[in-house]
Amino acid sequence: MRWPRKHTFGLWPKNRRNNGIPQGQGLSTVSTIYDPNCEEKEKYTAQNGDNYYSQAQAIEMDVASKYSKPKEAHWLLRRIYFLSWISLYDRERAFADLIAGITLGLTIIPQSIAYAALAGLSSEYGLYSAFIGSIIYVFFGTIPQVSIGPTSLMAILTLQFCADKPVQVVIVLAFLAGLVELAMGVFQLGFIVSFIPAPVTKAFTSGTAVIVVFAQIKNLLGVRVKGFPSIGEFFTNIHPSDAAMGVSCMVVLLSLRLLSQVKFSQDTAVTRRLKKILWYISISRNALVVFFTGLLVFLWVKKSSMEAVPFALSSKVSSAMPTIKLPPFAFEYQNRTYVFTDILHELGSGIIVVPIVAVLANVAIAKAFVKDGNLDASQEMLTLGLCNIAGSFFSAMPTCGAFTRSAVSQASGVRTPMAGIYTGLIVLSALSILTPYFQYIPKASLSAVLIAAVIFMIDLAPVKELWQTNKKDFFSWVGSFIICLVAGVELGLLFGIILSMVFILLRLGNPKIEVALKKHESSYYIHVVPHTDIYYTGVDSLRSELRSACSLYHNDFPVVLDCSRFMQFDATFSEMLIAVAKEMGSNEVLLILQNMSLKVQQMLPVISNVRFCQEDSQLFSHLQTEKDREVTAELEEKL
């Protein structure tokens, strides 16, 4: 009995011969015994293929022996990230971090008070949330610019899920959110960062920057109208003194920002020293503006009175040092006893929504400021979880990274997460000895610092570029940007991620496939090449293209299918190829599967009109063989 033959072109080493015929000449086939009654693992012998792959493996091992992959850092250094950079810490970095930490501390205090009020809490809870996250992030955080603390986003969500509820519920929410975030980090769920494409990140960055500018412009110009005033009402309520203070601070900040870019015609010791002084002044600009404006108001009050100050000042902070204690998993409030299950019922979906939104916002911020593109999102999740868990022991509200503070840190020249130590110390000082003095900081100067920090993060350039290059990314950017402005940054992020996932699913279901009629010498063939990876979701599209190609060319030419983009070859692929091959076989069309591995070949049964090859030379040998067969068949018919 004669068994069918399995052709395995491209598996032979170049110095071997097939049945006495040189490689690439004549019918260079390799006979593979196929017995349908034997065991599956013995169906294909193909010792020539084994020899080929063993030689290839030996070559790879020989090459690999000359190169070594950089050793991965010890897990302790990757998790307690503080240990990976503290040995390189020097005086220059320490000074830069000191300036950034002080500036950030002076920025986060009035923010924390405002966000606490937005969440429906008293001011001290905002400050409790501001210091512990900054300190914890020093030891576990990976991005120097990220500042963990209260944010408008977390304040809004806290208000949504904890409105008219005891403050203890807010503290337990912080603890539970931290547990969820910690679990996401432990189970290495950092891959979700892959679902935040660059256009969405840029839209989030620009949208948040615009929100910050519009939110702060009222304080910058001294407009003291609640809500959203009309244009006429806005201009009629501008206070000249506040506007003068705010605009002056903006001019000073932008001018000092340019000091670091000053270039000298000569490079001498004096010019280098002067350039360094100008750089220090430039990165200290935020702290200088806040300090001198606060000092101005302080002296004004000493000479006259608080009521005589013509500027709107920051709110007075109540002095209340934090104490460490367990989160209140059970408590009494208004003659009602709350147990843990009651708290879970009160929070509802907030237990999941708050940490997920916090993670998405934190990862997006970290992704916007990471320098080398190497972001360990899982570590950021783990760190955020630790910050919230630790914060719940100090009566803190849920926290995450804030874009505004990250921009302030960036503008202040932060070098390492050590700046969080100084920020935390300033907040603790505000809760104790410095509390009476923060009320002298004008709101206009703080608004100027925030606006000057974020205004350069507004990047509208991608709009034109994406419209010309990629319409899908254009709609992702525009949609995310608009929704960030209209509905909030969390919904803008969610929209961008969902839209990107929809595009991915559409791409998986409709892969790009090129079909072309090509000629080699006197032989024509249909070349089918997928230009995107094909999973089982794209099998129907591929089947449709193969059938359409055969129909278009009336089954007159062999079909060559490039299989290099087949991903996760499974039963769906096998069934499709078998069905298409049999259909082509009934029409006497040869199907050549190119660049298919031996392992995948063995998943297919032996089909008379199917051939396999790797190199183009083997493909051309197949085509020549097929042409010779057709010529022979025509001669036999004539005879």
Side-chain angles (χ1 to χ4, degrees), residues 111 114-115 209-223 404 443-451 454:
Q111 277 190 348
Y115 295 151
V210 171
I211 291 173
V212 171
V213 170
F214 277 101
Q216 296 297 325
I217 200 166
K218 288 174 60 178
N219 289 333
L220 182 76
L221 301 177
V223 178
T404 305
K443 291 183 178 180
S445 63
L446 284 176
S447 297
V449 169
L450 296 176
I451 293 174
V454 304

Side-chain angles (χ1 to χ4, degrees), residues 283-353:
I283 67 171
S284 307
R285 60 187 180 274
N286 295 328
L288 291 174
V289 166
V290 172
F291 173 76
F292 282 108
T293 55
L295 180 62
L296 174 64
V297 173
F298 178 77
L299 296 177
W300 195 310
V301 171
K302 288 296 182 182
K303 289 185 177 181
S304 56
S305 63
M306 182 70 75
E307 290 75 15
V309 176
F311 311 117
L313 304 179
S314 300
S315 302
K316 189 174 182 179
V317 181
S318 302
S319 179
M321 283 299 292
T323 57
I324 184 170
K325 56 184 177 181
L326 286 172
F329 298 116
F331 60 91
E332 291 186 2
Y333 179 76
Q334 293 183 351
N335 298 323
R336 177 184 172 184
T337 300
Y338 287 81
V339 295
F340 187 63
T341 54
D342 295 328
I343 299 175
L344 294 180
H345 179 73
E346 293 286 341
L347 292 174
S349 60
I351 300 172
I352 301 298
V353 173

Side-chain angles (χ1 to χ4, degrees), residues 53-274:
Y53 281 111
S54 63
Q55 282 198 4
Q57 186 177 9
I59 293 173
E60 291 176 1
M61 291 179 64
D62 181 59
V63 173
S65 64
K66 298 180 181 180
Y67 302 93
S68 60
K69 185 179 180 180
K71 292 184 178 180
E72 189 178 28
H74 193 272
W75 69 269
L76 189 63
L77 297 179
R78 287 185 283 113
R79 293 297 166 248
I80 307 178
Y81 199 74
F82 168 84
L83 300 176
S84 66
W85 54 264
I86 191 60
S87 61
L88 303 175
Y89 204 64
D90 53 20
R91 182 182 301 175
E92 182 180 351
R93 293 179 180 177
F95 185 79
D97 289 340
L98 175 63
I99 297 298
I102 294 174
T103 305
L104 188 60
L106 297 176
T107 303
I108 198 173
I109 290 170
Q111 277 190 348
S112 302
I113 297 170
Y115 295 151
L118 179 60
L121 306 173
S122 55
S123 59
E124 64 269 20
Y125 290 101
L127 294 174
Y128 293 159
S129 309
F131 83 91
I132 188 62
S134 299
I135 295 175
I136 293 293
Y137 195 84
V138 171
F139 301 97
F140 301 95
T142 62
I143 309 298
Q145 292 83 359
V146 172
S147 170
I148 304 297
T151 66
S152 57
L153 180 60
M154 289 293 100
I156 292 171
L157 290 176
T158 300
L159 180 66
Q160 178 180 347
F161 292 103
C162 302
D164 301 324
K165 294 181 176 62
V167 68
Q168 291 89 339
V169 175
V170 177
I171 298 171
V172 175
L173 175 61
F175 177 81
L176 296 175
L179 281 184
V180 174
E181 293 155 358
L182 183 66
M184 295 176 72
V186 170
F187 290 104
Q188 299 288 307
L189 299 182
F191 64 87
I192 68 169
V193 72
S194 303
F195 293 99
I196 308 178
V200 175
T201 303
K202 292 180 180 179
F204 166 81
T205 302
S206 300
T208 310
V210 171
I211 291 173
V212 171
V213 170
F214 277 101
Q216 296 297 325
I217 200 166
K218 288 174 60 178
N219 289 333
L220 182 76
L221 301 177
V223 178
R224 303 170 189 176
V225 178
K226 294 183 179 181
F228 298 95
S230 62
I231 296 178
E233 188 181 7
F234 179 86
F235 283 101
T236 55
N237 283 276
I238 292 178
H239 283 66
S241 56
D242 287 302
M245 169 70 77
V247 173
S248 300
C249 290
M250 281 290 297
V251 172
V252 171
L253 288 167
L254 297 177
S255 301
L256 293 179
R257 186 176 187 271
L258 298 176
L259 287 181
S260 61
Q261 303 175 15
V262 173
K263 295 183 180 180
F264 297 92
S265 57
Q266 296 181 350
D267 186 15
T268 63
V270 176
T271 57
R272 286 195 296 270
R273 189 176 296 110
L274 182 58

Side-chain angles (χ1 to χ4, degrees), residues 360-375:
L360 290 176
N362 207 68
V363 169
I365 292 170
K367 194 175 179 182
F369 286 95
V370 66
K371 291 183 178 180
D372 55 4
N374 187 19
L375 173 63

